[in-house]
Amino acid sequence: MAATFFGEVVVKAPCRAGTEEEEEEEEAGRRETPEDREVRRQLARKREVRLLRRQTKTSLEVSLLEKYPCSKFIIAIGNNAVAFLSSFVMNSGVWEEVGCAKLWNEWCRTVDTTHLSPSESFCVFYHLKSNPLVFVCQCSCYVAEDQQYQWLEKVFGSCPRRNMQVTILTCRHVTDYKTSESTGSLPSPFLKALKTQNFKDTACCSLLEQPNIIHDLPAAVLSYCQVWKIPAILYLCYTEVMTLDLITVEAFKPILSSRSLKGLAKNIPQGTEILKKLMTTNEIQSNIYT
Amino acid sequence: MASRYDRAITVFSPDGHLFQVEYAQEAVKKGSTAVGIRGTNIVVLGVEKKSVAKLQDERTVRKICALDDHVCMYFCKILTIFIGLTADARVVINRARVECQSHKLTVEDPVTVEYITRFIATLKQKYTQSNGRRPFGISALIVGFDDDGIPRLYQTDPSGTYHAWKANAIGRSAKTVREFLEKNYTEDAIANDNEAIKLAIRALLEVVQSGGKNIELAIIRRNQPLKMFSAKEIELQVTEIEKEKEEAEKKKSKKNA
C-alpha cells in the first residue's frame, strides 16, 4: 500500500497474468525442509479443536451429537446471544453440562476450561435434564476459519441425523448491514433471520436481504445444515453495541415465542432480573472513549 | 465500494458520502450515554458514569465541564459534555474556553450559548476539510442560559453541524434514549423543574444498567449557580422514580382487573 500526495491510500493489486520469474519463486518456496514440516505439524496440533467430556475431561471418541442425539439444538455465538440464553432459557429447568470444546487461536487463547473467569471465552454444551433431547451450546470464543470444519465434525459428526432442528443466535455490528438507507435511520438493534431449505416453520422476524451475508461460525453451521438437509434457522441481531448490552440482549426476545424455544423459557420477568444482574459486572471506563 | 473511498478524509464517494466523517460518528457511539433537557426554567445534563479502574484517580474522570463562568448580574454558566474520544474532547474544550475568554476581552460581553456552539462546530468542520488531519470523534451537548434568560440546548456532531434541541441524547444507545424522550417530553413535564430532572434520569435509566450510582447529573436554574448532584441526591430521585413506576403499574393492573 502506498500513500499518494493527496493522502489517499492505494492498494497494489496482484498481477493476474503472472510472470515466469514468479513461477520460479513459487517452486523454490515449495521445497520444504523437515523443520518446516515439523513446525507445520506442531501448529496444526496446537490449533486442533478438542471436544471433552465434562466429568472425565477426556476427549470424545465419536462426535457429540452421535453420543447425545438431540431433537432441538440451540447454539448461541457471541456474548450477547450467550447472555440471552443464560438469562431466559437456562434459568428455567435444570441444565446439565455435557462437554466443552477447547481450542486455541490468535483471538481465543483460553487453554484451561475448568476454572473460567466471566471474561474468558468458552464453548460449553448443555442438555436439559428433564428432556435430554434438548441441547444448548454457549460459544463465546472465536472459532477461526481453519477450525470451523473441525468444530462441525466434532459436534455434528460426518453423517448427521436430519430429524433435529437447529437454531443459531448471534450478533453483528449494524455497520455491516448493507442497505440503501443510512445506518442512522435503522431501528437498531433489530433481528434478521436466515434459514435452510428444509426449515418449514416461519421465522419470527424478516429474512435477511441480499447482498448481506453471514460470517464465521454461524455461517459454517448454517451451510453445514443446508448441505446435510437439516432444518436450521439463524437469528442475527444487528446492533450498535457489540459488548454486553441490555438492549441488544432484549432484542432477541421475539424468538422466545418461536417453535424452537417455546416451552423452554418459563419465567420471563425472572429472566430480565437475571440479565440485569449479569450486566452489573460493570465494564471499567475506557480511557480512550469518554 | 466503501473501502475505496474511505481511507482519506478529502475524498467523496461517488454517491456523496464522506466516509471518514460517518466513521467518526461511529466513534461517538463507543462513548457513554449523555442526555440533555431544556426545561422552561432549567437545563439538565446527565451522563452515564462507568466505574473507574482501581488505581485511577476518580477526580480526573469528569465528564460534565463548564465552558464559561462569569459573574455579572446573574450567575451564569455554560455547561457542556463531550462524548467520544476523550483526548479530542479535551482539546476542543480547551479551545472553546480560550475563545470564551477572548470574546469577553474583545467585546466585553460573555459569549452566548449559540456563539460558542457555532465556534465548536466551525472548528470541527475545519477538520473535515483538510488533508493530513482526521475529524474530531466527538459529539457535544451544550446547555446554558443567555443574558435574556432563555434556556438553550445545542448539539454538535463530528461533521460540524449544530442544532438547537428541546431534548436530546448522544453516545451509546442514543437512539433508544431519544425515542424515550420523544414519548415522554411534554410541556407539562418540563414546566416543573423537578419533573425535568426526573425525565433526564428516567431517560438514562433506560440504558444505564446499574441504576443511580452510575449517573452524573448537573443542572442550571435561571439566575442560580450551577448545581452538580451528589450520588445521594441522585439516589433519592431514582427511589422516587421507582416508587412512581410501581404505583403506575399497580393502577394499570387494577384497571385491567
Side-chain angles (χ1 to χ4, degrees):
Chain A
M1 293 208 287
T4 67
F5 176 77
F6 298 100
E8 304 143 310
V9 174
V10 173
V11 178
K12 193 178 172 191
C15 172
R16 288 186 206 163
T19 63
E20 276 188 18
E21 295 149 7
E22 282 185 16
E23 280 179 19
E24 278 175 22
E25 278 173 30
E26 271 182 48
E27 276 198 42
R30 265 186 236 135
R31 276 183 244 116
E32 269 189 339
T33 62
E35 286 87 16
D36 291 335
R37 274 195 287 275
E38 182 56 32
V39 167
R40 219 181 282 277
R41 235 195 318 264
Q42 281 188 14
L43 201 59
R45 219 175 311 146
K46 196 174 187 188
R47 295 179 76 86
E48 206 183 303
V49 176
R50 282 183 292 270
L51 223 57
L52 304 173
R53 252 189 287 257
R54 178 181 156 260
Q55 294 99 334
T56 56
K57 291 293 171 195
T58 52
S59 297
L60 280 166
E61 314 84 24
V62 294
S63 74
L64 192 73
L65 294 186
E66 272 178 59
K67 190 155 175 69
Y68 302 99
C70 72
S71 58
K72 255 191 205 178
F73 191 10
I74 306 159
I75 311 175
I77 302 171
N79 54 1
N80 282 306
V82 164
F84 172 74
L85 273 194
S86 300
S87 316
F88 292 96
V89 172
M90 298 182 70
N91 72 332
S92 14
V94 178
W95 294 84
E96 192 184 13
E97 188 186 323
V98 165
C100 64
K102 264 172 86 162
L103 53 94
W104 183 97
N105 56 52
E106 293 74 16
W107 299 271
C108 168
R109 294 168 193 237
T110 308
V111 173
D112 176 21
T113 42
T114 40
H115 304 289
L116 284 174
S117 70
S119 56
E120 281 185 82
S121 323
F122 53 85
C123 181
V124 190
F125 300 88
Y126 303 87
H127 69 188
L128 190 57
K129 230 174 173 175
S130 54
N131 181 4
L133 291 178
V134 178
F135 232 73
V136 153
C137 168
Q138 292 196 312
C139 182
S140 82
C141 61
Y142 179 70
V143 181
E145 294 85 353
D146 57 316
Q147 296 171 315
Q148 283 160 13
Y149 187 69
Q150 267 192 70
W151 190 96
L152 287 168
E153 271 212 318
K154 301 246 163 121
V155 174
F156 285 90
S158 42
C159 198
R161 291 152 48 130
R162 289 183 208 177
N163 54 349
M164 66 168 156
Q165 197 180 71
V166 177
T167 310
I168 311 154
L169 308 176
T170 190
C171 283
R172 193 86 191 158
H173 200 276
V174 72
T175 46
D176 280 348
Y177 184 66
K178 294 171 183 45
T179 171
S180 50
E181 295 173 46
S182 87
T183 44
S185 59
L186 290 171
S188 72
F190 58 92
L191 275 184
K192 288 286 175 186
L194 196 60
K195 51 188 183 165
T196 60
Q197 210 162 14
N198 286 58
F199 187 87
K200 299 300 176 199
D201 296 337
T202 43
C204 37
C205 60
S206 53
L207 294 182
L208 187 66
E209 309 89 352
Q210 288 193 355
N212 292 292
I213 60 172
I214 313 284
H215 301 80
D216 304 328
L217 186 63
V221 176
L222 203 65
S223 309
Y224 191 86
C225 292
Q226 171 68 4
V227 163
W228 287 103
K229 297 186 170 42
I230 302 170
I233 185 160
L234 162 68
Y235 288 105
L236 176 56
C237 178
Y238 281 104
T239 174
E240 286 178 344
V241 186
M242 287 304 284
T243 50
L244 198 59
D245 174 52
L246 186 69
I247 297 181
T248 306
V249 176
E250 292 199 325
F252 281 111
K253 266 182 166 166
I255 305 173
L256 292 175
S257 53
S258 73
R259 204 162 146 255
S260 337
L261 267 75
K262 212 172 205 163
L264 289 177
K266 297 204 177 65
N267 194 344
I268 295 179
Q270 193 192 45
T272 316
E273 286 311 310
I274 296 176
L275 183 60
K276 287 208 172 112
K277 281 203 189 110
L278 269 178
M279 299 286 167
T280 53
T281 48
N282 220 353
E283 41 175 312
I284 303 284
Q285 169 74 50
S286 158
N287 285 330
I288 303 178
Y289 296 100
T290 175
Chain B
M1 180 68 116
S3 55
R4 286 164 60 196
Y5 300 97
D6 67 353
R7 294 303 153 89
I9 182 59
T10 50
V11 175
F12 273 104
S13 73
D15 56 347
H17 286 278
L18 271 177
F19 282 110
Q20 279 299 308
V21 175
E22 293 181 20
Y23 297 168
Q25 280 163 343
E26 290 301 315
V28 173
K29 292 180 192 165
K30 290 194 129 52
S32 322
T33 316
V35 75
I37 294 187
R38 185 185 84 195
T40 318
N41 306 307
I42 188 175
V43 287
V44 187
L45 262 190
V47 66
E48 176 190 7
K49 196 173 60 170
K50 294 193 190 146
S51 49
V52 177
K54 234 179 178 177
L55 298 174
Q56 193 170 28
D57 189 340
E58 207 169 333
R59 288 174 307 147
T60 53
V61 188
R62 274 285 141 78
K63 301 198 182 196
I64 301 180
C65 312
L67 278 188
D68 190 21
D69 168 15
H70 52 276
V71 180
C72 41
M73 255 161 57
Y74 317 107
F75 291 98
C76 303
K77 263 192 165 77
I78 298 179
L79 278 188
T80 185
I81 178 152
F82 281 84
I83 295 290
L85 290 163
T86 319
D88 286 7
R90 190 187 68 236
V91 163
V92 174
I93 288 174
N94 285 344
R95 297 272 271 272
R97 283 172 170 168
V98 166
E99 177 61 21
C100 287
Q101 300 310 311
S102 162
H103 185 278
K104 216 187 298 189
L105 283 172
T106 316
V107 304
E108 293 188 355
D109 272 333
V111 295
T112 59
V113 185
E114 206 242 338
Y115 177 91
I116 197 62
T117 307
R118 200 168 352 115
F119 172 80
I120 292 170
T122 311
L123 176 65
K124 285 183 180 178
Q125 191 281 336
K126 274 205 198 103
Y127 280 69
T128 67
Q129 218 173 6
S130 35
N131 65 328
R133 303 188 198 188
R134 60 163 176 80
F136 285 105
I138 41 176
S139 279
L141 287 175
I142 303 157
V143 296
F145 282 86
D146 288 336
D147 275 351
D148 54 10
I150 298 181
R152 313 262 181 208
L153 164 64
Y154 285 93
Q155 185 236 343
T156 68
D157 65 23
S159 62
T161 55
Y162 73 94
H163 295 96
W165 289 77
K166 294 181 190 168
N168 200 0
I170 55 175
R172 182 175 70 89
S173 310
K175 203 173 284 175
T176 312
V177 179
R178 208 174 300 125
E179 280 166 11
F180 177 87
L181 289 170
E182 282 173 8
K183 276 192 211 139
N184 294 278
Y185 184 96
T186 57
E187 294 306 321
D188 294 330
I190 51 123
N192 180 331
D193 287 358
N194 216 23
E195 289 302 312
I197 295 170
K198 278 215 194 96
L199 181 63
I201 297 180
R202 277 164 58 209
L204 275 176
L205 286 174
E206 290 285 303
V207 296
V208 168
Q209 282 134 8
S210 25
K213 65 181 192 295
N214 281 50
I215 293 180
E216 199 176 302
L217 195 82
I219 60 164
I220 312 179
R221 284 184 230 260
R222 188 183 292 111
N223 304 336
Q224 284 185 41
L226 150 77
K227 178 176 162 60
M228 291 284 303
F229 273 53
S230 66
K232 224 177 181 178
E233 287 167 318
I234 299 177
E235 209 52 61
L236 270 164
Q237 295 278 354
V238 171
T239 321
E240 255 186 71
I241 290 169
E242 283 175 355
K243 220 194 282 177
E244 284 171 10
K245 213 175 174 181
E246 269 181 48
E247 283 172 10
E249 275 176 14
K250 267 190 205 152
K251 258 191 203 162
K252 206 178 172 186
S253 56
K254 265 191 196 158
K255 231 183 184 177
N256 289 341

